[in-house]
Amino acid sequence: ILASIFSLIIYWLIRDRYRVRNLSGKHVFITGCDTGLGNSLAKWLDKRGFCVIAACATEKEGQELQSCSSPSLKTVNLNLADSNSIARAVGFVTEETAGKGLFGLVCNAEGTAPVAPTDWLRIEDFHSVLDVNLLGLIEITLKLLPLLKKAEGRVVNLINAKGLMALVGGGYSLSKWGMEAFSDTLRIEMQHFGVKVSIVEHGFFKAGIVNSDIIEKYLFRLWSRLNPEIRDSYGEKYF
């Protein structure tokens, strides 16, 4: 038993010392680079020599990111809830990689989600987050798989660990559980092509999704649109 534990520790130490070499010319596409984790990751990889393609929701955010990065960092507008926007972004990535394939795809973009009891919600409230966090992620991954297979690259899905605890109604936890399942099946299927698929479950960061003012604003909006029967069944004290 001790020998097995010792061997496992040695394996971990060797594995964690591994670093990707020859970064020049390796393209990494990152979604959700307007602010926060995606923005920081784009800058960090850019400084280390990767050819970063950063997807931002607005042209303004893209220009701000480019202004504080090297000339090799490129930006593209992306709305994961829009198939046409996804197609344009994939076309841009294809042109930028110029036959080399895609070394890395990092999915980080998140849709905002109302947090409330389930029967306060409508189907469009679920779509507002699932279309971005889950279906948009799946669509752009599927369209980029040929480039990832060509470079024997990797997919890294950043998943907020709080989404794995289904404590409140809404689509947020559904999207995170779905991202886990999609990543796990894709990992098994892509092993044949030398493509790695990883999940990074991170904790809380300073972001709008955990801003209490935004959550409260959603609650007031949802409460005000409820029909009287549902509102009375909960009561002002519950609210």
Side-chain angles (χ1 to χ4, degrees), residues 4 14 26 30 47 69 80 86 92 99-100 105 112 129 136 154 158 161 174 184 187 197 211 227:
S4 298
I14 293 173
K26 287 183 168 62
I30 310 170
K47 289 179 180 178
S69 306
L80 283 173
I86 290 174
F92 183 83
K100 297 178 182 178
L105 167 62
T112 56
V129 62
R154 64 265 299 124
L158 304 181
L174 292 176
D184 287 341
R187 181 185 305 113
V197 179
N211 188 310
N227 66 55

Side-chain angles (χ1 to χ4, degrees), residues 13 27-28 50 79-80 100 114 144 220:
L13 291 173
H27 289 81
V28 179
F50 283 100
N79 176 8
L80 283 173
K100 297 178 182 178
L144 289 173
F220 274 107

Side-chain angles (χ1 to χ4, degrees), residues 15-221:
R15 183 196 63 178
D16 291 347
R17 288 172 61 88
Y18 177 75
R19 295 291 183 271
V20 176
R21 308 296 179 187
N22 302 318
L23 307 183
S24 179
K26 287 183 168 62
H27 289 81
V28 179
F29 179 55
I30 310 170
T31 67
C33 293
D34 300 78
T35 58
L37 192 57
N39 185 279
S40 298
L41 179 61
K43 295 174 182 175
W44 190 83
L45 293 178
D46 177 53
K47 289 179 180 178
R48 277 150 186 78
F50 283 100
C51 297
V52 176
I53 305 172
C56 298
T58 66
E59 189 173 341
K60 178 184 175 184
E61 298 289 353
Q63 290 174 348
E64 290 179 359
L65 177 57
Q66 279 186 310
S67 68
C68 55
S69 306
S70 78
S72 66
L73 183 144
K74 308 295 182 182
T75 61
V76 60
N77 289 357
L78 175 63
N79 176 8
L80 283 173
D82 182 357
S83 291
N84 291 328
S85 178
I86 290 174
R88 287 192 294 269
V90 170
F92 183 83
V93 173
T94 303
E95 290 178 6
E96 288 295 319
T97 55
K100 297 178 182 178
L102 186 61
F103 181 76
L105 167 62
V106 182
C107 293
N108 168 65
E110 283 199 334
T112 56
V115 175
T118 299
D119 63 349
W120 292 19
L121 303 172
R122 299 172 182 171
I123 192 63
E124 56 263 30
D125 297 317
F126 288 86
H127 275 296
S128 67
V129 62
L130 290 173
D131 287 350
V132 174
N133 288 8
L134 183 57
L135 297 178
L137 173 143
I138 292 173
E139 184 174 355
I140 199 162
T141 301
L142 293 177
K143 290 184 175 179
L144 289 173
L145 278 180
L147 296 179
L148 289 160
K149 290 159 71 173
K150 187 167 188 175
E152 294 190 354
R154 64 265 299 124
V155 178
V156 180
N157 288 328
L158 304 181
I159 301 177
N160 196 316
K162 71 177 182 287
L164 304 179
M165 299 176 288
L167 301 177
V168 292
Y172 192 77
S173 293
L174 292 176
S175 70
K176 299 306 173 184
W177 288 55
M179 288 169 67
E180 293 266 347
F182 176 70
S183 302
D184 287 341
T185 53
L186 188 67
R187 181 185 305 113
I188 296 168
E189 295 161 355
M190 287 296 108
Q191 284 178 351
H192 175 73
F193 302 99
V195 175
K196 300 178 178 65
V197 179
S198 301
I199 298 169
V200 177
E201 295 174 350
H202 61 82
F204 283 93
F205 289 88
K206 285 186 177 181
I209 197 68
V210 295
N211 188 310
S212 60
D213 292 336
I214 293 177
I215 294 174
E216 187 174 294
K217 181 180 178 182
Y218 269 126
L219 283 172
F220 274 107
R221 180 175 65 83

